[in-house]
């Protein structure tokens, strides 16, 4: 994990764009509102200005729910609700109702993302991905970016 590079006046690009932060690092992502036994927890990020680009992988052998919605921690607090994030569930995601697409959303003013399931063919209806939709033995990869 590296330190945050800050510039007292930023680095000026042209006439108005200033880069004021750059950082590369890692963190141990966790299920924010559950107890899990992890066999692998890897998270890597790059922060450039007010954007954070990240990739994570979690492998569990046991998980106990403590809430109705699945949340996974992020390395920084999100400034807005933002969804350019992709989730690839390799193993252990079984959304109720048989719906397929899982949509992570970085939650405004929080340092976690919540997971939803598209429940209609139009893509307009979402429900919470709940912990009872997960198996103990699961593998998930998530990548994307969000604003801080």
């Amino acid at each position: 994990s590296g330190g945050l590079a800050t510039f007292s006046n930023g680095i000026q690009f042209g006439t108005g764009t200033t880069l004021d932060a750059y950082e590369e690092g890692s963190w141990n992502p966790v299920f924010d509102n559950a107890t899990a036994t992890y066999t692998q927890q890897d998270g890597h990020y790059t922060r450039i200005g007010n954007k954070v680009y990240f990739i994570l992988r979690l492998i569990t052998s046991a998980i106990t729910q403590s809430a109705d919605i699945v949340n996974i921690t992020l390395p920084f607090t999100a400034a807005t609700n933002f969804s350019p994030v992709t989730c690839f569930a390799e193993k252990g995601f079984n959304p109720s109702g048989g719906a397929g697409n899982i949509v992570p959303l970085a939650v405004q003013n929080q340092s976690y993302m919540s997971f939803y399931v598209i429940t209609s063919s139009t893509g307009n209806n979402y429900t919470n991905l709940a912990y009872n939709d997960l198996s103990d033995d699961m593998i998930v990869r998530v990548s994307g970016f969000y604003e801080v």
Side-chain angles (χ1 to χ4, degrees):
S1 179
L4 178 65
T6 57
F7 312 96
S8 60
N9 296 320
I11 298 174
Q12 190 74 32
F13 297 96
T15 60
T17 304
T18 302
L19 174 63
D20 58 0
Y22 180 87
E23 180 179 354
E24 295 178 353
S26 61
W27 88 106
N28 288 325
V30 297
F31 287 100
D32 182 59
N33 48 4
T35 301
T37 302
Y38 300 97
T39 56
Q40 185 174 2
Q41 292 172 267
D42 293 316
H44 302 277
Y45 66 87
T46 301
R47 177 180 174 180
I48 303 171
N50 69 342
K51 303 283 189 291
V52 178
Y53 301 86
F54 71 93
I55 185 167
L56 68 85
R57 183 174 182 191
L58 291 175
I59 301 175
T60 64
S61 59
I63 190 164
T64 304
Q65 83 174 42
S66 60
D68 291 335
I69 186 167
V70 174
N71 293 333
I72 295 177
T73 58
L74 292 167
F76 297 95
T77 299
T80 59
N81 289 327
F82 209 60
S83 188
V85 178
T86 59
C87 176
F88 176 66
E90 292 182 44
K91 178 180 175 185
F93 276 56
N94 306 300
S96 55
N101 293 336
I102 298 169
V103 179
L105 174 72
V107 179
Q108 183 175 12
N109 298 323
Q110 302 297 326
S111 58
Y112 61 80
M113 60 188 141
S114 294
F115 289 75
Y116 300 90
V117 178
I118 296 175
T119 57
S120 75
S121 60
T122 64
N124 293 328
N125 297 321
Y126 296 85
T127 60
N128 296 343
L129 180 67
Y131 281 100
N132 60 3
D133 295 328
L134 307 179
S135 64
D136 283 338
D137 185 23
M138 64 173 256
I139 302 171
V140 62
R141 294 175 192 246
V142 183
S143 64
F145 70 94
Y146 64 101
E147 295 180 338
V148 294

